[in-house]
């Protein structure tokens, strides 16, 4: 979680970075509870896709299945796994937006390894 808001990549958390993380966790917690349609405390893949789209990110069915497997290991996502999942997805979405030109990214090995291994 820290890596997703570590703006200066010093592998520590400043107060500003902590504030960003705290706000995101609070926002995602509220989003999770609003999206838990059957109020069982977990999100199905259908609910997960809807909540990711409500957060302003576009994902297809196969990506939702991949995220569900990677971050929850089962067929539903808890609040904790959802928070980790959406923080990571948000970070990677922002990296893509920052580095893409016309929907394409060109990265050096150093850029790619840094982005993929730290975030």
């Amino acid at each position: 979680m820290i890596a997703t808001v570590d703006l200066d990549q010093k592998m520590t958390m400043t107060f500003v970075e902590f504030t960003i993380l705290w706000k995101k966790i609070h926002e995602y917690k509220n989003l999770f509870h609003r999206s838990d349609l059957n109020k069982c405390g977990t999100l199905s893949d259908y609910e997960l896709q809807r909540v990711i789209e409500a957060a302003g990110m576009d994902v297809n069915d196969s990506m939702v299945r991949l995220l569900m497997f990677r971050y929850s290991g089962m067929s539903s996502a808890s609040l904790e796994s959802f928070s980790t999942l959406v923080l990571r997805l948000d970070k990677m979405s922002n990296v893509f937006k920052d580095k893409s030109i016309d929907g394409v990214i060109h990265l050096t090995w150093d850029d790619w390894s840094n982005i993929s291994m730290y975030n």
Side-chain angles (χ1 to χ4, degrees), residues 22-39:
W22 188 256
K23 286 179 182 177
K24 286 181 183 241
I25 288 172
H26 185 70
E27 172 190 342
Y28 297 151
K29 178 182 163 192
N30 290 334
L31 195 57
F32 177 90
H33 289 299
R34 285 194 312 270
S35 302
D36 183 10
L37 301 177
N38 59 8
K39 305 300 179 204

Side-chain angles (χ1 to χ4, degrees), residues 28-85:
Y28 297 151
K29 178 182 163 192
N30 290 334
L31 195 57
F32 177 90
H33 289 299
R34 285 194 312 270
S35 302
D36 183 10
L37 301 177
N38 59 8
K39 305 300 179 204
C40 68
T42 60
L43 298 179
S44 66
D45 54 352
Y46 171 76
E47 292 168 323
L48 181 61
Q49 185 158 3
R50 287 187 46 176
V51 73
I52 290 170
E53 290 169 355
M57 294 174 267
D58 186 33
V59 291
N60 59 32
D61 292 344
S62 62
M63 178 56 72
V64 171
R65 286 190 302 275
L66 176 70
L67 292 168
M68 187 70 81
F69 175 76
R70 170 67 171 88
Y71 289 94
S72 70
M74 54 187 81
S75 61
S76 60
S78 66
L79 173 60
E80 293 81 8
S81 61
F82 169 74
S83 297
T84 303
L85 175 159

Side-chain angles (χ1 to χ4, degrees), residues 2 5 11 14 33 43 85 92 95 103 108 118:
I2 292 171
V5 296
M11 293 171 260
T14 66
H33 289 299
L43 298 179
L85 175 159
M92 297 313 291
V95 166
T108 65
Y118 184 59

